[in-house]
Amino acid sequence: MPEGIVIIDWDEFEGGVVSFKYPDIEVPSNLVQLLQISHSFNPGLITIQETDFHALSIGNEDLQKVIVLILNKFEDASDFTEIIYTINKSVSDHSESQKLENELTRIFGLSQSVFKAREAVLTKLANEVTELKNREIDLKLSLEWLLLNETSPENQIILVLLRYGSMQCSNLTKYIELPETEIQSLLNEMETKKILENRDGFYFLLIHYQIS
């Protein structure tokens, strides 16, 4: 999420000078000058990323200001274009310093809330995905345990198809200790019972079959 807002003004003796910053963050003086010079040639959006500094900036030609949104190093600057456009508009609309400060503080707080909410949603989603993956792993392990302890060849076939998905008769011999001819005979019987379906040589489970 954004770490701060900085406004750089032009001074004919000093060059770029910081006229506003919220919260009280430090911007290296060389980067202040770099941003000021860069926007004298390009008033549009500029992203700057150094080892310890990441920011999105825009030039305000009418007021000869540079508006800078400080980001953390892991963020994608393109996610923040609407925010910096909003900040730039507020700088243009508010000439009185206290009103501008109040408005920029409000925008910054709002941007923090939005991105905190987004992070919370993403964190929740990540946790849910992890939980589902863990459930899938638990289910697979359970099926493998059942397969190791199941003695009925028919049930073994069902467990293999549940665990590994559809497969050909020749592949089932890797999991079931029976000759391929016997497995094929069982598959034919199970197909007749509408437990399985043969689709181009691959066997699929048709129903939720209760293992006895």
Side-chain angles (χ1 to χ4, degrees):
M1 66 186 71
E3 294 185 351
I5 298 173
V6 172
I7 297 177
I8 301 170
D9 281 358
W10 169 251
D11 181 89
E12 30 179 277
F13 297 106
E14 297 183 45
V17 292
V18 174
S19 60
F20 173 87
K21 57 183 178 180
Y22 181 84
D24 189 17
I25 53 178
E26 290 301 320
V27 182
S29 58
N30 64 313
L31 293 177
V32 170
Q33 301 306 324
L34 175 63
L35 285 164
Q36 179 64 54
I37 293 169
S38 298
H39 281 289
S40 65
F41 297 101
N42 175 17
L45 293 173
I46 292 177
T47 300
I48 183 169
Q49 188 154 17
E50 302 286 338
T51 303
D52 298 314
F53 186 79
H54 185 203
L56 177 66
S57 61
I58 189 170
N60 188 314
E61 287 186 287
D62 294 336
L63 300 176
Q64 291 190 304
K65 295 178 184 288
V66 176
I67 291 85
V68 186
L69 187 63
I70 311 296
L71 309 173
N72 75 45
K73 63 182 178 180
F74 301 109
E75 287 172 322
D76 185 347
S78 63
D79 290 340
F80 299 88
T81 53
E82 289 302 319
I83 291 176
I84 201 162
Y85 283 135
T86 301
I87 295 170
N88 189 35
K89 184 176 185 303
S90 295
V91 171
S92 296
D93 291 346
H94 295 82
S95 56
E96 201 274 306
S97 60
Q98 188 58 54
K99 288 183 178 179
L100 176 60
E101 181 178 342
N102 292 341
E103 180 64 11
L104 294 183
T105 302
R106 185 190 70 81
I107 293 171
F108 182 76
L110 181 61
S111 70
Q112 293 276 297
S113 300
V114 168
F115 282 91
K116 281 180 181 177
R118 187 183 74 169
E119 286 180 359
V121 169
L122 291 175
T123 300
K124 183 174 183 292
L125 179 60
N127 290 337
E128 289 176 352
V129 169
T130 299
E131 184 180 351
L132 287 172
K133 286 182 177 178
N134 289 338
R135 287 182 184 176
E136 181 183 2
I137 290 170
D138 290 342
L139 177 60
K140 287 179 178 179
L141 290 174
S142 298
L143 289 170
E144 288 170 4
W145 183 88
L146 289 170
L147 183 57
L148 287 173
N149 292 276
E150 181 57 59
T151 56
S152 163
E154 185 174 294
N155 287 345
Q156 286 178 347
I157 291 172
I158 292 170
L159 288 168
V160 169
L161 296 180
L162 282 171
R163 170 60 181 86
Y164 299 103
S166 62
M167 62 177 63
Q168 295 174 310
C169 177
S170 57
N171 296 122
L172 284 165
T173 59
K174 298 176 184 177
Y175 306 98
I176 300 170
E177 295 180 358
L178 285 175
E180 185 174 341
T181 52
E182 290 188 33
I183 294 176
Q184 185 62 65
S185 178
L186 282 168
L187 290 170
N188 293 339
E189 290 178 15
M190 294 170 74
E191 189 176 6
T192 301
K193 294 177 185 177
K194 304 297 183 184
I195 299 170
L196 304 176
E197 182 180 57
N198 181 353
R199 302 176 194 168
D200 298 323
F202 285 84
Y203 288 88
F204 294 78
L205 281 174
L206 283 180
I207 60 172
H208 297 292
Y209 187 74
Q210 183 175 358
I211 299 175
S212 56

